[in-house]
């Protein structure tokens, strides 16, 4: 799902303020955004608790909480649509949980109703009710407002089942499934879920009560756990492991032995899409056979599987970089093309500028395997591959055109970009790069953190004729931007498989719309 156009025309939430009132982190002329726009951009770019190049995690998180509280009260209808989209459209877990809880707190204090549904909608995976309560208890104490309690309980009824208990209820968690049940008092949807709730409480309090007969998956897992360690390697039937809800992580611990080819081949048939993508290197190191590898490749490239997985394109670059075997290169390229199905085939001439300054070497993915400039490069080159006539430029303190190679895949082009020295790592001379390379193009796309250097004057907006649309994708979500979002100047936040679909929509006149 795209992270959408931030342009705001209504002034009650604050319009962009001129350069005289704001500067970028490098001292360049900047523009402040309205509250909703600032919150949107920060939310889709923010990894809660993570430092960025110009902003410490504590300051960034505090700014996020303040914006959430202000917007949740000022525009509750917008907020009630924003948080569910943040979780299921933008696929951001931590940001949506924090937004739902802090928004609910502000709304309760202001007497604004409706936050129960927002809290429930933000929780979409079975470990998230516990994460939400752990966040609340750590920041606000044990007094749970009714909307928070009931919203979490709604999610529990929807998400708790045997397999989720096996996967996510761990002794290492501060807030266990049983704790969530005790604190929120969910009403089970049927007798079997009631048995599950009682068993979760027994687990939490170490009660030696018999396992209810209705919980067949837990019984199958208990049977496997009872096997002597020396016999566990003999269990290689995928059906047996699947019936016991065995994940690859659980299998590795249960076997108490390295995951060899036989172990991987026994669990691969029940592994999810993202789990397969993350373990390609492990499959190769263990010596998984070609027949099984072909089955994995078929799943990775299946259009339906790609669509259901909703894996972001940057994951394919991570896998491509990590997997040592060439047998994965073509499947990953095909999968990436499936994930980029919404990248438009732009007509005319398009100038694409990729910011490779030092600050763009900040972490983009939580595991640190992708940097902001990696993500910008994937999207810039994918857009170029689909455009009729594209000029791709890497810029920092200097800039140069990245030449196209006919028939080259996106992932191969990304590798050539990296190995060819196109990541500069210097200052952010955005305006100079645009002025140097703009030559009558029909549109300009800039992938950046917007922290233009002070030498850029008067501002980026003036570097392109007013009638030419200029699209900025901000990958980090800093408060101050390098151009106002007015007229033909548009700012988007974050990147996803549908992000660039917004370009033809804007050019067709579909403006002032959110993706929810």
């Amino acid at each position: 799902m795209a992270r959408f156009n931030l342009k705001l025309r209504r002034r009650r939430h604050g319009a962009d303020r001129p350069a005289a009132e704001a500067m970028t982190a490098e001292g360049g002329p900047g523009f402040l955004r309205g509250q909703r726009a600032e919150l949107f951009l920060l939310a889709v770019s923010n990894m809660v608790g993570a430092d960025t190049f110009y902003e410490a995690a504590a300051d960034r998180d505090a700014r996020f909480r303040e914006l959430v509280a202000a917007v949740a009260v000022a525009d509750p209808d917008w907020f009630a649509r924003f948080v569910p989209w943040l979780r299921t459209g933008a696929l951001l877990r931590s940001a949506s949980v924090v937004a739902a809880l802090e928004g609910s707190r502000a709304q309760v204090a202001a007497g604004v109703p409706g936050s129960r549904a927002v809290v429930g909608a933000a929780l979409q995976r079975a470990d998230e009710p516990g994460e939400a309560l752990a966040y609340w208890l750590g920041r606000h104490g044990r007094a749970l407002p009714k909307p928070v309690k009931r919203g979490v309980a709604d999610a529990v009824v929807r998400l708790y089942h045997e397999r989720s208990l096996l996967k996510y209820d761990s002794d290492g968690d501060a807030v266990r499934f049983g704790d969530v049940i005790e604190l929120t008092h969910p009403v089970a949807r049927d007798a079997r879920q009631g048995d599950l709730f009682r068993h979760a409480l027994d687990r939490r309090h170490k009660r030696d009560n018999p396992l209810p007969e209705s919980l067949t998956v837990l019984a199958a897992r208990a049977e496997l756990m009872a096997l002597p360690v020396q016999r566990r390697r003999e269990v290689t039937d995928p059906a047996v492991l699947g019936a016991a809800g065995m994940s690859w992580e659980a299998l590795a611990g249960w076997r108490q032995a390295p995951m060899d080819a036989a172990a991987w081949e026994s669990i691969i048939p029940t592994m999810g899409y993202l789990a397969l993508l993350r373990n390609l290197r492990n499959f190769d190191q263990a010596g998984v056979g070609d027949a099984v590898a072909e089955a994995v490749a078929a799943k990775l490239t299946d259009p339906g599987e790609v669509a259901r997985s909703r894996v972001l394109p940057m994951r394919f670059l991570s896998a491509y970089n990590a997997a040592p075997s060439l047998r994965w290169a073509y499947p990953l390229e095909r999968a990436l093309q499936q994930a980029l199905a919404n990248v438009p085939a732009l007509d005319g001439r398009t100038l694409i500028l990729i910011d490779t300054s030092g600050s763009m070497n900040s972490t983009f993915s939580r595991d640190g395997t992708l940097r902001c400039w990696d993500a910008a490069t994937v999207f810039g080159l994918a857009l170029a591959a689909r455009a009729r006539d594209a000029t791709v430029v890497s810029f920092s303190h200097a800039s140069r055109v990245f030449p196209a190679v006919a028939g080259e895949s996106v992932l191969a082009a990304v590798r050539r970009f990296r190995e060819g020295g196109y990541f500069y790592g210097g200052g952010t001379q955005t305006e100079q790069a645009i002025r140097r390379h703009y030559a009558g193009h029909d549109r300009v796309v800039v992938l950046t953190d917007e922290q233009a250097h002070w030498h850029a004057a008067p501002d980026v907006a003036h570097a392109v004729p007013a009638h030419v649309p200029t699209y900025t994708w901000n990958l980090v979500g800093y408060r101050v931007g390098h151009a106002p979002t007015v007229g033909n100047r548009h700012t988007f936040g974050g990147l996803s498989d549908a992000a660039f679909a917004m370009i033809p929509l804007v050019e067709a006149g579909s403006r002032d719309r959110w993706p929810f």
Side-chain angles (χ1 to χ4, degrees), residues 4-355:
F4 212 59
N5 196 337
L6 301 178
K7 182 172 177 290
L8 292 175
R9 292 185 181 177
R10 287 173 289 184
R11 298 185 61 86
R12 65 190 180 101
H13 296 289
D16 291 334
R17 280 182 270 169
E21 298 184 29
M23 293 185 295
T24 69
E26 288 291 345
F31 297 82
L32 295 175
R33 301 176 171 90
Q35 283 184 333
R36 290 188 309 180
E38 185 181 349
L39 173 59
F40 186 96
L41 185 59
L42 178 59
V44 298
S45 310
N46 189 26
M47 290 182 293
V48 175
D51 291 328
T52 60
F53 193 86
Y54 292 112
E55 195 170 21
D59 296 338
R60 191 173 177 82
D61 292 345
R63 178 162 67 95
F64 184 62
R65 291 192 300 271
E66 291 167 3
L67 285 167
V68 163
V71 174
V73 173
D75 196 343
D77 292 337
W78 183 91
F79 189 75
R81 290 180 285 118
F82 167 63
V83 172
W85 173 84
L86 190 62
R87 181 62 184 89
T88 61
L91 304 180
L92 294 171
R93 298 179 59 231
S94 297
S96 58
V97 169
V98 172
L101 296 179
E102 295 292 347
S104 178
R105 181 171 181 263
Q107 289 179 340
V108 168
V112 177
S115 58
R116 171 181 178 174
V118 175
V119 172
L123 308 177
Q124 294 293 322
R125 207 172 73 176
D127 59 332
E128 290 169 6
E131 288 188 2
L133 290 182
Y135 174 86
W136 185 275
L137 295 171
R139 178 162 287 277
H140 302 302
R142 293 185 63 86
L144 289 174
K146 284 186 178 179
V148 172
K149 182 182 295 186
R150 291 172 179 171
V152 173
D154 293 341
V156 165
V157 174
R158 177 164 39 88
L159 298 170
Y160 279 13
H161 49 73
E162 289 180 82
R163 293 177 186 273
S164 64
L165 183 81
L166 287 170
K167 185 173 179 65
Y168 295 117
D169 187 40
S170 168
D171 287 335
D173 293 332
V175 179
R176 301 278 302 275
F177 274 39
D179 297 318
V180 176
I181 293 167
E182 284 186 324
L183 287 169
T184 63
H185 307 292
V187 178
R189 61 175 174 267
D190 54 32
R192 185 177 183 183
Q193 191 175 55
D195 289 341
L196 179 72
F197 287 176
R198 285 187 289 275
H199 177 68
L201 289 167
D202 289 342
R203 282 168 58 107
R204 180 66 181 96
H205 297 293
K206 304 186 185 303
R207 299 169 185 153
D208 193 22
N209 292 328
L211 185 69
E213 293 183 2
S214 64
L215 305 181
T216 56
V217 176
L218 294 178
R221 175 65 70 88
E223 186 176 344
L224 288 182
M225 295 303 296
L227 284 175
V229 172
Q230 60 271 24
R231 290 192 53 199
R232 294 179 182 180
R233 295 190 192 183
E234 301 170 9
V235 182
T236 57
D237 185 345
V240 172
L241 296 175
M246 189 72 76
S247 65
W248 74 267
E249 299 97 331
L251 179 65
W254 175 68
R255 283 167 50 90
Q256 297 186 29
M259 290 285 286
D260 56 19
W264 281 117
E265 290 173 2
S266 69
I267 201 66
I268 280 174
T270 58
M271 289 176 68
Y273 192 94
L274 184 56
L276 293 174
L277 197 61
R278 286 173 168 169
N279 281 287
L280 298 180
R281 182 184 185 91
N282 290 331
F283 299 161
D284 286 342
Q285 290 178 338
V288 167
D290 288 339
V292 175
E294 288 174 5
V296 172
K299 185 169 183 176
L300 292 180
T301 56
D302 180 84
E305 293 284 351
V306 175
R308 282 188 293 274
S309 73
R310 305 189 71 183
V311 171
L312 295 178
M314 287 75 70
R315 291 284 188 186
F316 298 106
L317 177 60
S318 292
Y320 181 76
N321 290 338
S325 173
L326 291 177
R327 66 182 176 180
W328 305 119
Y330 182 58
L332 288 172
E333 175 65 30
R334 289 180 58 197
L336 175 59
Q337 294 303 326
Q338 297 284 355
L340 292 172
N342 287 320
V343 173
L346 297 176
D347 58 8
R349 300 178 61 225
T350 306
L351 175 61
I352 302 168
L353 296 111
I354 300 172
D355 181 353

Side-chain angles (χ1 to χ4, degrees), residues 371-390:
R371 322 303 290 178
C372 287
W373 60 21
D374 293 324
T377 303
V378 170
F379 273 83
L381 295 180
L383 185 66
R386 294 274 288 158
R388 177 186 297 176
D389 184 358

Side-chain angles (χ1 to χ4, degrees), residues 306-477:
V306 175
R308 282 188 293 274
S309 73
R310 305 189 71 183
V311 171
L312 295 178
M314 287 75 70
R315 291 284 188 186
F316 298 106
L317 177 60
S318 292
Y320 181 76
N321 290 338
S325 173
L326 291 177
R327 66 182 176 180
W328 305 119
Y330 182 58
L332 288 172
E333 175 65 30
R334 289 180 58 197
L336 175 59
Q337 294 303 326
Q338 297 284 355
L340 292 172
N342 287 320
V343 173
L346 297 176
D347 58 8
R349 300 178 61 225
T350 306
L351 175 61
I352 302 168
L353 296 111
I354 300 172
D355 181 353
T356 59
S357 62
S359 60
M360 286 287 285
N361 195 25
S362 297
T363 299
F364 187 82
S365 59
R366 185 171 293 277
D367 61 7
T369 58
L370 281 181
R371 322 303 290 178
C372 287
W373 60 21
D374 293 324
T377 303
V378 170
F379 273 83
L381 295 180
L383 185 66
R386 294 274 288 158
R388 177 186 297 176
D389 184 358
T391 304
V392 177
V393 173
S394 172
F395 77 93
S396 176
H397 58 283
S399 63
R400 61 172 166 154
V401 172
F402 179 71
V405 173
E408 185 177 43
S409 71
V410 172
L411 290 177
V414 170
R415 178 165 292 180
R416 181 165 61 89
F417 192 99
R418 181 174 61 248
E419 294 176 351
Y422 284 87
F423 290 122
Y424 285 113
T428 311
Q429 302 289 346
T430 312
E431 187 216 3
Q432 285 89 331
I434 295 175
R435 290 189 184 278
R436 177 181 176 187
H437 297 283
Y438 177 77
H441 292 83
D442 297 293
R443 67 187 60 81
V444 177
V445 177
V446 188
L447 298 147
T448 178
D449 61 6
E450 292 197 84
Q451 299 310 292
H453 198 271
W454 68 273
H455 286 306
D459 63 70
V460 171
H462 289 81
V464 179
H467 70 279
V468 176
T470 300
Y471 306 92
T472 296
W473 258 269
N474 185 309
L475 277 71
V476 184

